[in-house]
Amino acid sequence: MESYYDRINRQQNTQDIEDVAEFYQAIDRGHLTKKLSPERPYVYFTMEVYDKTNGIKGGGGLGVLAADTRRVAETLEIPFVCVTPFYRHEYHQGIYGLDQTESIWGVNPEEHGFEYLDDVEIYTEGMPPARLNVFQKIFSSTRFLTIGEANFGELYAGDGNGDHRLYQEVSLGFGGYAALKMVGLRPAVIQLNETATIFAAVARLDELVHNGMNLYEAIVYVRKHTLYTNHTLVQAAESEFSYDQFSRIVMPNIKSKALKTWLSGLFRDGRLKLSTLTIELAEAKNGVSRLHARVADYQDVNGDKVKFRAVTNGIDLDTWVIPEIVSVYNEKGIIDKFGLPSDDYKERLDDLKIDEIRGLRKIGREKLNQVLEHRQDQYGNPVYIPEDATVFDFKRRFVSYKRPLMPFEDISILRRILEENNAHYILTGKVHQGDTEMRTRLNQVLKLIDSDDLLRERVHYIQDYDEELGFALAAGSDIAINNPIVGLEACGTSFMKDIANLKVLISTADGGVADLSPIACLEIVGASYEAEVRSLYEQMLRAARIVKNDTWYEGQVRRQLSGYLPVISGARMMKDYLQLVFGK
Ligand SMILES: *Cc1c(COP(=O)(O)O)cnc(C)c1O
């Protein structure tokens, strides 16, 4: 049986388009054939990519988004370059004695088909230059350009405001920009996936000024060609660095004196937030869902409120949806050859009948069991879910705002829901290193489960959450639970994987789910935490009844897809970005 990674590797695009010009026409942007070319591509800088098929393991949604964006560009044949570190170390989670442990595994680009190009140098005051290896991997119109060295450290290593993190960010920005020049590319636009990538725009600015452009003209030029994508809600949470750190780690990489002076002028009380710098250098700015763009509270260097546009994240359907379902979407004309929902997709969803839905869900369940067979639960054992059982799942990082343990508030109710419905509950997600509070909570819940015969049989915590598990649960569980505190999830994409795979979603009205109002799934509501917990249990009972009833289930699947298919479509996200950056 083909594994998840083999399938993704095979790059089986369901779309069949002649040429990217066709897509540009379809989105009413015919002029893009003149703006984007193989030598002048769309360039995407990101500190994180989650694409284990190509050897790059991420930490969460930001990396999944980056990997999906490149895959969608590849399918649409858009000239696109993703510039990112290749970390030689990656984190894995294990559970021993019902407690989380972390291990770091080595990895290198050559094992994953990357080609070594050359080195770039990064300068730090008082140190010999650091030599970073540039590796490339090309996939038709797109490529990864990666930078890294043996001591680069792992993703999000150390303190977010520390010297090493700044070194990683400077390396990506200046080193990545030099790598683009090395392969003869000039960006048509630079998309900054979060502010940690801002040094790419600084490097471009420095080059323009060094080549003789006046600093202020250069700033205008860079602003016009830079897009800042924000995933963080409050500016207070953004990293900041001291003037001393900048002098030692950033400035030695800048040639222009005028630029150094300008940068120095942005410091307040000896500190500079990268978000402040990013806001100065990017004209187009977006949040990653409607709600997020509305509530993101940022000020520019003068204290004026920043306006964010909304481009809700989407997913690459070929990556996250079982191929059998994608084929049905295509055959029924629910999505078009670009991966966009067709004009009449809502009517066409009426062709999706319960027998077909159940047949597809059965295939999904088999895929889930295939993956669970080589994974480990909290006791180190594989799990098998019987075909006739109903499965609930929670799969996302264990951070407090996502409230992973909410269903365990009253285990007598949870026990009853699982027992009466022949249901299982699968959880997976890593606690962040250093989050002792969540780690303690997780340990308590694992012990609670262990102390109860029924829960021990039916609640499975699967170790080391990753893409394979994310896909398997999207494909083979029945009911997904997404319950972030309203206002705190920037977008979230796992709910999209769930809906696209014909599951039932239970969610709070947050992130991308709240792009629709009212939301088009089973909603968790409540004026207090206790009320939300009650609402969650009610919706779990309701969902369990829905999946057993043909009419209700068919209706629920259609209602969710009818609302969210445009949100979910990665091609729609690409269309939105192209329209935002390049206008008419
Ligand atoms: C889809 C996915 C994510 C994104 O999840 P959200 O919490 O919904 O943003 C993170 N990690 C993995 C492994 C995924 O597959």
Side-chain angles (χ1 to χ4, degrees):
M1 190 64 202
E2 187 179 39
S3 80
Y4 168 72
Y5 296 113
D6 289 342
R7 178 174 69 76
I8 303 301
N9 227 345
R10 195 154 44 79
Q11 283 300 340
Q12 40 122 29
N13 294 333
T14 51
Q15 281 88 340
D16 178 25
I17 66 172
E18 289 275 316
D19 184 86
V20 66
E22 236 191 314
F23 178 64
Y24 296 154
Q25 289 294 343
I27 64 167
D28 202 18
R29 291 295 183 279
H31 71 301
L32 285 179
T33 47
K34 293 190 208 76
K35 300 232 163 180
L36 288 166
S37 67
E39 301 75 34
R40 273 195 73 110
Y42 191 117
V43 177
Y44 190 97
F45 275 79
T46 182
M47 287 299 286
E48 179 185 339
V49 168
Y50 209 141
D51 188 355
K52 199 50 208 157
T53 314
N54 289 304
I56 310 182
K57 188 177 191 312
L62 184 123
V64 168
L65 174 73
D68 275 22
T69 305
R70 189 205 59 75
R71 288 195 208 105
V72 170
E74 180 187 344
T75 304
L76 294 170
E77 300 182 23
I78 296 169
F80 183 97
V81 180
C82 178
V83 188
T84 193
F86 196 108
Y87 301 94
R88 310 283 174 91
H89 299 96
E90 60 182 43
Y91 272 115
H92 288 269
Q93 181 221 33
I95 299 283
Y96 293 97
L98 300 186
D99 187 20
Q100 171 172 307
T101 57
E102 289 112 29
S103 52
I104 293 182
W105 302 5
V107 55
N108 79 65
E110 274 115 341
E111 287 165 26
H112 293 278
F114 282 76
E115 173 202 3
Y116 170 68
L117 297 181
D118 200 348
D119 289 348
V120 290
E121 287 192 343
I122 291 297
Y123 307 102
T124 306
E125 192 185 273
M127 308 252 276
R131 296 188 69 81
L132 291 134
N133 314 133
V134 177
F135 279 89
Q136 174 171 255
K137 189 166 180 182
I138 296 180
F139 314 78
S140 68
S141 68
T142 73
R143 68 180 94 186
F144 278 123
L145 262 185
T146 71
I147 54 120
E149 42 90 11
N151 298 316
F152 196 75
E154 64 280 350
L155 175 65
Y156 306 135
D159 174 6
N161 300 329
D163 283 5
H164 189 75
R165 189 70 69 80
L166 186 56
Y167 160 71
Q168 288 185 333
E169 295 171 355
V170 162
S171 297
L172 175 67
F174 290 96
Y177 194 75
L180 285 168
K181 294 188 66 178
M182 185 189 285
V183 293
L185 302 180
R186 222 154 63 85
V189 59
I190 293 180
Q191 179 167 2
L192 302 173
N193 195 29
E194 268 301 353
T195 60
T197 62
I198 182 57
F199 298 108
V202 176
R204 186 173 215 190
L205 190 53
D206 191 40
E207 182 192 32
L208 292 173
V209 178
H210 185 71
N211 290 345
M213 202 186 269
N214 160 298
L215 175 66
Y216 293 94
E217 281 168 19
I219 291 175
V220 170
Y221 181 90
V222 168
R223 276 180 64 83
K224 268 217 151 337
H225 296 88
T226 306
L227 162 67
Y228 159 32
T229 298
N230 169 299
H231 301 253
T232 314
L233 284 145
V234 283
Q235 202 165 12
E238 293 275 356
S239 67
E240 60 171 25
F241 296 97
S242 69
Y243 188 77
D244 168 63
Q245 288 177 302
F246 256 68
S247 329
R248 287 184 289 111
I249 302 166
V250 181
M251 299 302 190
N253 297 286
I254 297 177
K255 297 188 201 80
S256 156
K257 277 212 180 82
L259 176 53
K260 289 186 201 180
T261 308
W262 178 79
L263 277 174
S264 306
L266 296 174
F267 281 78
R268 296 289 177 271
D269 301 323
R271 304 188 70 80
L272 175 62
K273 280 191 180 299
L274 294 188
S275 55
T276 307
L277 178 55
T278 310
I279 288 160
E280 287 303 298
L281 292 182
E283 191 171 293
K285 301 176 255 306
N286 77 285
V288 290
S289 69
R290 286 185 186 171
L291 179 63
H292 171 61
R294 214 165 49 233
V295 302
D297 189 13
Y298 279 66
Q299 294 179 348
D300 67 14
V301 71
N302 303 315
D304 292 327
K305 190 166 163 72
V306 174
K307 196 170 170 331
F308 288 97
R309 306 281 292 275
V311 176
T312 304
N313 293 341
I315 57 170
D316 179 41
L317 295 173
D318 290 320
T319 300
W320 297 109
V321 184
I322 65 171
E324 292 81 356
I325 294 180
V326 178
S327 300
V328 167
Y329 289 153
N330 283 310
E331 282 154 19
K332 295 195 189 298
I334 293 166
I335 59 172
D336 68 15
K337 62 179 171 180
F338 305 113
L340 295 167
S342 55
D343 291 337
D344 55 352
Y345 79 96
K346 290 190 182 180
E347 288 84 70
R348 289 176 183 263
L349 281 171
D350 291 340
D351 293 345
L352 197 54
K353 301 278 195 271
I354 188 66
D355 292 343
E356 197 165 19
I357 295 173
R358 294 221 185 269
L360 292 164
R361 299 290 315 139
K362 195 171 156 207
I363 298 171
R365 174 62 59 84
E366 284 162 14
K367 290 184 200 271
L368 171 61
N369 274 321
Q370 275 157 20
V371 169
L372 292 179
E373 202 173 84
H374 61 259
R375 305 295 296 237
Q376 298 183 338
D377 68 6
Q378 66 268 42
Y379 303 106
N381 299 323
V383 169
Y384 176 79
I385 305 290
E387 199 187 303
D388 61 349
T390 297
V391 180
F392 293 92
D393 74 277
F394 180 100
K395 49 179 176 328
R396 40 184 60 80
R397 288 181 299 121
F398 272 42
V399 289
S400 69
Y401 84 84
K402 291 183 188 259
R403 302 190 289 189
L405 302 171
M406 195 160 151
F408 297 89
E409 288 294 341
D410 186 337
I411 62 159
S412 64
I413 301 182
L414 178 64
R415 196 194 286 122
R416 214 185 65 221
I417 294 172
L418 298 182
E419 188 166 30
E420 287 175 3
N421 294 287
N422 181 24
H424 290 246
Y425 195 120
I426 302 184
L427 299 109
T428 184
K430 185 172 152 298
V431 176
H432 194 275
Q433 282 93 336
D435 185 350
T436 46
E437 197 180 316
M438 185 52 78
R439 183 169 172 170
T440 308
R441 284 280 293 133
L442 173 61
N443 292 1
Q444 286 167 347
V445 168
L446 290 178
K447 286 204 178 71
L448 196 69
I449 295 164
D450 190 52
S451 67
D452 184 289
D453 288 342
L454 186 123
L455 295 184
R456 204 165 51 239
E457 279 299 305
R458 293 183 176 270
V459 181
H460 318 280
Y461 178 91
I462 311 294
Q463 303 183 23
D464 206 16
Y465 176 44
D466 60 6
E467 293 156 289
E468 181 191 52
L469 261 180
F471 169 74
L473 284 165
S477 150
D478 301 290
I479 301 157
I481 296 177
N482 179 55
N483 54 333
I485 297 174
V486 172
L488 295 190
E489 185 70 86
C491 180
T493 52
S494 49
F495 84 88
M496 301 181 187
K497 305 168 192 170
D498 297 318
I499 290 176
N501 281 294
L502 316 178
K503 289 168 62 179
V504 172
L505 175 70
I506 299 175
S507 182
T508 48
D510 198 23
V513 176
D515 264 29
L516 300 187
S517 178
I519 66 174
C521 62
L522 302 183
E523 184 172 357
I524 302 169
V525 291
S528 64
Y529 181 66
E530 291 70 27
E532 284 187 288
V533 171
R534 276 197 304 278
S535 172
L536 167 67
Y537 287 133
E538 279 161 22
Q539 296 297 32
M540 286 175 76
L541 276 169
R542 196 158 148 220
R545 270 186 241 122
I546 289 173
V547 296
K548 289 195 188 74
N549 178 297
D550 285 354
T551 316
W552 293 348
Y553 189 21
E554 192 182 83
Q556 187 67 18
V557 164
R558 281 195 203 141
R559 191 156 66 90
Q560 290 180 167
L561 281 172
S562 172
Y564 290 109
L565 202 57
V567 177
I568 293 169
S569 160
R572 181 279 312 157
M573 170 177 69
M574 189 55 85
K575 169 183 119 186
D576 287 352
Y577 275 124
L578 291 174
Q579 295 185 341
L580 175 62
V581 174
F582 295 105
K584 277 277 180 194

